[in-house]
Amino acid sequence: MTIEYYNIANYKFPYDPTLEKVGLKISGGADSSLIAYILGILKSKGLIHSQIITMTNEHHDRPYQIDVTNRVLNYVTQKTGSVFEYRVSVFSPSTETYEINRSNIVQETKNKFGFSKHYMGITANPPAESGIPPEDFERTHDNNKSIIETYKFSPWINYHKQDIANIYKELDIMDLFSITRSCETRTFDFTEHCGKCWWCKERYWGFGRYE
C-alpha cells in the first residue's frame, strides 16, 4: 500500500496511486459527492489510474438518492473528464432492508469487482458550541481518528461540515453543492430541503445555505 496526499488549502485527501480499482459509497450528499469530485481531479491529473466503482444504497423514504448521485457523477465527468466505470445501486424497500444493505452492498460489490479499498464520506459531528446535538456519538470531533484503515478511506472523519464547505469553496464548486441533497425528511417532492431535520441543520450550519 502506497499512501499519498492531495492538498487542498489546509486539508489533505489520502489516495493510493497503486490501486487498480477503488470503491466509493455515495449517497448524493455533500460529503461523498466531494470525494467523487476529488477522485475525478486525481484521475484527470494522472495521479491515480484506478477504475472507480460507486455504490448507492437508496432508502425507501428518500427515493432521490440514486437520481441525485447520477447527476453528481455526471457533473464530475463533465468538469474533470474522468469517468466512473461502474455504478452500483440498490433500492431498500424498508428500514430493515436498508440496514442490511449498508454493509452488504460493499461486500457484494467488492466480491464482484475485486477492489480492496473504498471511500466513505462520514464527517465529524458539529462541535458542541454549534448548538446542534450529536447525530452519532461515534462521529466525535477529537481530530485523531484514523482516516486510513485496512479496507477503507474516511478522509473527512476528522472534519466537520464547515470544513467541507471550505473545501467546496476552495475548489470553486458550489454549483456541485447545489446539486447535492442531505435532507432526510420523508417526502416525494424534492424541490427543496425541509430545513428541520438534523441533516438540514448540519448542512445549514456548515454552508450557511441549503442549496
Side-chain angles (χ1 to χ4, degrees):
M1 181 171 62
T2 302
I3 300 300
E4 298 185 14
Y5 294 89
Y6 184 71
N7 296 316
I8 308 161
N10 296 321
Y11 303 98
K12 293 185 175 182
F13 184 88
Y15 66 95
D16 184 342
T18 68
L19 294 178
E20 294 183 3
K21 299 178 181 179
V22 67
L24 166 61
K25 287 191 74 175
I26 180 169
S27 64
D31 308 327
S32 55
S33 296
L34 180 57
I35 294 177
Y37 185 79
I38 296 173
L39 290 176
I41 291 176
L42 296 179
K43 287 189 76 169
S44 69
K45 291 179 177 291
L47 296 175
I48 63 172
H49 302 280
S50 312
Q51 289 187 335
I52 303 173
I53 300 94
T54 65
M55 300 165 284
T56 303
N57 177 23
E58 185 172 79
H59 195 286
H60 66 287
D61 281 346
R62 300 181 284 279
Y64 58 80
Q65 292 174 309
I66 293 173
D67 176 64
V68 172
T69 293
N70 283 328
R71 285 192 278 136
V72 165
L73 298 179
N74 291 343
Y75 171 98
V76 174
T77 296
Q78 181 182 17
K79 290 290 186 178
T80 69
S82 300
V83 300
F84 297 86
E85 284 79 5
Y86 302 99
R87 304 182 187 186
V88 177
S89 58
V90 59
F91 175 74
S92 298
S94 67
T95 300
E96 180 181 15
T97 305
Y98 179 80
E99 292 300 323
I100 293 172
N101 284 338
R102 288 180 69 177
S103 58
N104 284 358
I105 192 172
V106 173
Q107 192 58 53
E108 291 175 3
T109 307
K110 182 181 294 186
N111 292 342
K112 180 177 180 179
F113 292 98
F115 59 84
S116 59
K117 283 187 176 292
H118 68 279
Y119 283 87
M120 292 185 64
I122 187 172
T123 59
N125 277 314
E129 56 267 26
S130 70
I132 301 175
E135 182 274 334
D136 181 346
F137 285 99
E138 292 185 3
R139 295 173 58 196
T140 59
H141 194 53
D142 53 16
N143 294 322
N144 62 6
K145 287 185 176 292
S146 176
I147 64 174
I148 302 167
E149 298 181 43
T150 303
Y151 59 92
K152 69 179 178 181
F153 295 108
S154 302
W156 312 143
I157 192 67
N158 295 314
Y159 299 148
H160 54 51
K161 196 68 78 181
Q162 289 187 351
D163 294 313
I164 300 302
N166 289 338
I167 299 174
Y168 267 87
K169 293 169 186 175
E170 183 69 25
L171 294 172
D172 193 23
I173 53 169
M174 289 303 293
D175 53 341
L176 171 59
F177 171 74
S178 296
I179 297 173
T180 68
R181 183 174 176 84
S182 302
C183 184
E184 295 208 351
T185 294
R186 182 182 176 89
T187 178
F188 294 95
D189 176 7
F190 308 114
T191 57
E192 60 185 19
H193 284 70
C194 76
K196 298 178 181 179
C197 70
W198 189 92
W199 302 97
C200 277
K201 291 178 181 178
E202 181 199 35
R203 184 178 175 99
Y204 191 85
W205 173 80
F207 286 85
R209 54 192 271 195
Y210 298 114
E211 279 90 21

Short mmCIF file of all heavy atoms in Angstrom, two decimals, residues 167-192:
data_model
loop_
_atom_site.label_atom_id
_atom_site.label_comp_id
_atom_site.label_asym_id
_atom_site.label_seq_id
_atom_site.Cartn_x
_atom_site.Cartn_y
_atom_site.Cartn_z
N ILE A 167 -13.70 23.42 1.69
CA ILE A 167 -13.10 22.71 0.56
C ILE A 167 -13.91 22.97 -0.71
O ILE A 167 -13.34 23.20 -1.79
CB ILE A 167 -13.01 21.20 0.86
CG1 ILE A 167 -12.11 20.95 2.07
CG2 ILE A 167 -12.45 20.45 -0.36
CD1 ILE A 167 -12.07 19.52 2.55
N TYR A 168 -15.23 22.95 -0.61
CA TYR A 168 -16.07 23.29 -1.77
C TYR A 168 -15.71 24.67 -2.30
O TYR A 168 -15.57 24.87 -3.52
CB TYR A 168 -17.55 23.27 -1.38
CG TYR A 168 -18.26 21.95 -1.63
CD1 TYR A 168 -18.25 20.95 -0.68
CD2 TYR A 168 -18.95 21.72 -2.82
CE1 TYR A 168 -18.91 19.74 -0.89
CE2 TYR A 168 -19.61 20.53 -3.05
CZ TYR A 168 -19.59 19.54 -2.08
OH TYR A 168 -20.24 18.34 -2.30
N LYS A 169 -15.56 25.63 -1.40
CA LYS A 169 -15.26 27.00 -1.82
C LYS A 169 -13.85 27.09 -2.40
O LYS A 169 -13.63 27.80 -3.39
CB LYS A 169 -15.44 27.94 -0.64
CG LYS A 169 -16.89 28.05 -0.19
CD LYS A 169 -17.03 28.78 1.14
CE LYS A 169 -18.47 28.75 1.63
NZ LYS A 169 -18.61 29.35 2.99
N GLU A 170 -12.91 26.39 -1.81
CA GLU A 170 -11.54 26.40 -2.31
C GLU A 170 -11.46 25.83 -3.72
O GLU A 170 -10.71 26.32 -4.56
CB GLU A 170 -10.63 25.59 -1.36
CG GLU A 170 -9.17 25.60 -1.73
CD GLU A 170 -8.50 26.95 -1.53
OE1 GLU A 170 -9.00 27.74 -0.69
OE2 GLU A 170 -7.48 27.21 -2.19
N LEU A 171 -12.25 24.81 -3.99
CA LEU A 171 -12.28 24.18 -5.31
C LEU A 171 -13.21 24.91 -6.28
O LEU A 171 -13.27 24.55 -7.46
CB LEU A 171 -12.70 22.72 -5.19
CG LEU A 171 -11.73 21.79 -4.45
CD1 LEU A 171 -12.36 20.42 -4.23
CD2 LEU A 171 -10.42 21.65 -5.23
N ASP A 172 -13.95 25.90 -5.77
CA ASP A 172 -14.89 26.68 -6.58
C ASP A 172 -15.94 25.79 -7.23
O ASP A 172 -16.20 25.86 -8.44
CB ASP A 172 -14.13 27.48 -7.66
CG ASP A 172 -15.00 28.54 -8.32
OD1 ASP A 172 -16.00 28.96 -7.71
OD2 ASP A 172 -14.70 28.93 -9.47
N ILE A 173 -16.58 24.95 -6.41
CA ILE A 173 -17.59 24.02 -6.93
C ILE A 173 -18.89 24.12 -6.14
O ILE A 173 -19.56 23.12 -5.90
CB ILE A 173 -17.08 22.55 -6.94
CG1 ILE A 173 -16.55 22.14 -5.55
CG2 ILE A 173 -16.03 22.35 -8.02
CD1 ILE A 173 -16.29 20.65 -5.42
N MET A 174 -19.27 25.34 -5.78
CA MET A 174 -20.54 25.49 -5.09
C MET A 174 -21.72 25.11 -5.99
O MET A 174 -22.81 24.82 -5.49
CB MET A 174 -20.69 26.92 -4.58
CG MET A 174 -19.76 27.24 -3.40
SD MET A 174 -19.99 26.14 -1.99
CE MET A 174 -21.63 26.60 -1.45
N ASP A 175 -21.51 25.10 -7.30
CA ASP A 175 -22.58 24.62 -8.18
C ASP A 175 -22.80 23.13 -8.00
O ASP A 175 -23.92 22.64 -8.15
CB ASP A 175 -22.30 24.98 -9.64
CG ASP A 175 -20.93 24.53 -10.12
OD1 ASP A 175 -20.03 24.27 -9.29
OD2 ASP A 175 -20.73 24.45 -11.35
N LEU A 176 -21.74 22.39 -7.65
CA LEU A 176 -21.91 20.97 -7.32
C LEU A 176 -22.68 20.84 -6.01
O LEU A 176 -23.57 19.98 -5.90
CB LEU A 176 -20.55 20.28 -7.19
CG LEU A 176 -20.57 18.84 -6.65
CD1 LEU A 176 -21.43 17.93 -7.53
CD2 LEU A 176 -19.16 18.29 -6.51
N PHE A 177 -22.36 21.66 -5.03
CA PHE A 177 -23.09 21.62 -3.76
C PHE A 177 -24.59 21.78 -4.00
O PHE A 177 -25.40 21.10 -3.36
CB PHE A 177 -22.58 22.73 -2.84
CG PHE A 177 -23.42 22.91 -1.60
CD1 PHE A 177 -23.35 21.99 -0.57
CD2 PHE A 177 -24.28 23.99 -1.48
CE1 PHE A 177 -24.14 22.14 0.57
CE2 PHE A 177 -25.06 24.16 -0.35
CZ PHE A 177 -24.99 23.23 0.68
N SER A 178 -24.97 22.63 -4.92
CA SER A 178 -26.38 22.87 -5.20
C SER A 178 -27.09 21.65 -5.77
O SER A 178 -28.30 21.52 -5.66
CB SER A 178 -26.53 24.06 -6.16
OG SER A 178 -26.05 25.25 -5.56
N ILE A 179 -26.32 20.74 -6.37
CA ILE A 179 -26.90 19.51 -6.91
C ILE A 179 -27.15 18.51 -5.79
O ILE A 179 -28.11 17.74 -5.81
CB ILE A 179 -25.96 18.89 -7.96
CG1 ILE A 179 -25.81 19.82 -9.16
CG2 ILE A 179 -26.49 17.52 -8.43
CD1 ILE A 179 -24.77 19.34 -10.16
N THR A 180 -26.30 18.51 -4.77
CA THR A 180 -26.36 17.50 -3.72
C THR A 180 -27.59 17.69 -2.84
O THR A 180 -28.21 18.74 -2.83
CB THR A 180 -25.10 17.56 -2.83
OG1 THR A 180 -25.10 18.78 -2.06
CG2 THR A 180 -23.83 17.46 -3.67
N ARG A 181 -27.92 16.64 -2.10
CA ARG A 181 -29.09 16.69 -1.21
C ARG A 181 -28.77 15.94 0.07
O ARG A 181 -28.25 14.82 0.04
CB ARG A 181 -30.32 16.08 -1.88
CG ARG A 181 -31.57 16.19 -1.03
CD ARG A 181 -32.82 15.71 -1.74
NE ARG A 181 -33.97 15.75 -0.85
CZ ARG A 181 -34.71 16.82 -0.61
NH1 ARG A 181 -34.42 17.95 -1.22
NH2 ARG A 181 -35.73 16.77 0.22
N SER A 182 -29.09 16.56 1.22
CA SER A 182 -28.83 15.95 2.52
C SER A 182 -30.09 15.68 3.31
O SER A 182 -30.06 14.94 4.28
CB SER A 182 -27.92 16.87 3.35
OG SER A 182 -26.69 17.12 2.68
N CYS A 183 -31.21 16.28 2.94
CA CYS A 183 -32.45 16.19 3.70
C CYS A 183 -32.93 14.75 3.82
O CYS A 183 -32.92 14.00 2.85
CB CYS A 183 -33.53 17.04 3.03
SG CYS A 183 -35.08 17.11 3.94
N GLU A 184 -33.38 14.38 5.04
CA GLU A 184 -33.88 13.03 5.25
C GLU A 184 -35.32 13.03 5.73
O GLU A 184 -35.80 12.04 6.28
CB GLU A 184 -32.98 12.27 6.21
CG GLU A 184 -31.58 12.06 5.64
CD GLU A 184 -30.91 10.82 6.18
OE1 GLU A 184 -31.45 10.21 7.12
OE2 GLU A 184 -29.84 10.47 5.66
N THR A 185 -36.04 14.12 5.51
CA THR A 185 -37.47 14.13 5.82
C THR A 185 -38.21 13.35 4.75
O THR A 185 -37.92 13.48 3.55
CB THR A 185 -38.00 15.57 5.87
OG1 THR A 185 -37.41 16.24 6.99
CG2 THR A 185 -39.51 15.59 6.02
N ARG A 186 -39.16 12.53 5.17
CA ARG A 186 -39.91 11.73 4.21
C ARG A 186 -40.71 12.65 3.29
O ARG A 186 -41.56 13.42 3.74
CB ARG A 186 -40.88 10.78 4.93
CG ARG A 186 -41.67 9.89 3.99
CD ARG A 186 -42.65 9.00 4.76
NE ARG A 186 -43.46 8.22 3.85
CZ ARG A 186 -43.13 7.04 3.38
NH1 ARG A 186 -41.97 6.51 3.72
NH2 ARG A 186 -43.92 6.37 2.56
N THR A 187 -40.43 12.58 2.02
CA THR A 187 -41.10 13.43 1.05
C THR A 187 -40.90 12.85 -0.35
O THR A 187 -39.97 12.09 -0.58
CB THR A 187 -40.55 14.87 1.07
OG1 THR A 187 -41.22 15.63 0.06
CG2 THR A 187 -39.06 14.90 0.77
N PHE A 188 -41.80 13.19 -1.23
CA PHE A 188 -41.63 12.80 -2.62
C PHE A 188 -41.60 14.05 -3.51
O PHE A 188 -41.73 13.99 -4.71
CB PHE A 188 -42.76 11.85 -3.05
CG PHE A 188 -42.69 10.53 -2.33
CD1 PHE A 188 -43.44 10.31 -1.20
CD2 PHE A 188 -41.83 9.54 -2.76
CE1 PHE A 188 -43.35 9.10 -0.50
CE2 PHE A 188 -41.73 8.34 -2.07
CZ PHE A 188 -42.49 8.12 -0.95
N ASP A 189 -41.41 15.20 -2.84
CA ASP A 189 -41.22 16.46 -3.55
C ASP A 189 -39.83 16.96 -3.19
O ASP A 189 -39.60 17.45 -2.09
CB ASP A 189 -42.29 17.48 -3.12
CG ASP A 189 -42.07 18.84 -3.76
OD1 ASP A 189 -41.19 18.95 -4.62
OD2 ASP A 189 -42.77 19.78 -3.39
N PHE A 190 -38.91 16.80 -4.10
CA PHE A 190 -37.51 17.06 -3.78
C PHE A 190 -37.02 18.40 -4.33
O PHE A 190 -35.88 18.55 -4.72
CB PHE A 190 -36.65 15.92 -4.30
CG PHE A 190 -37.15 14.57 -3.85
CD1 PHE A 190 -37.64 13.66 -4.77
CD2 PHE A 190 -37.15 14.25 -2.51
CE1 PHE A 190 -38.12 12.43 -4.35
CE2 PHE A 190 -37.63 13.03 -2.08
CZ PHE A 190 -38.12 12.11 -3.00
N THR A 191 -37.91 19.38 -4.36
CA THR A 191 -37.54 20.67 -4.91
C THR A 191 -36.73 21.51 -3.92
O THR A 191 -36.05 22.45 -4.31
CB THR A 191 -38.78 21.46 -5.34
OG1 THR A 191 -39.65 21.60 -4.20
CG2 THR A 191 -39.53 20.72 -6.45
N GLU A 192 -36.82 21.19 -2.63
CA GLU A 192 -36.09 21.96 -1.64
C GLU A 192 -35.88 21.13 -0.38
O GLU A 192 -36.53 20.11 -0.16
CB GLU A 192 -36.84 23.24 -1.29
CG GLU A 192 -38.22 23.02 -0.72
CD GLU A 192 -38.99 24.31 -0.49
OE1 GLU A 192 -38.61 25.34 -1.09
OE2 GLU A 192 -39.95 24.29 0.30
#
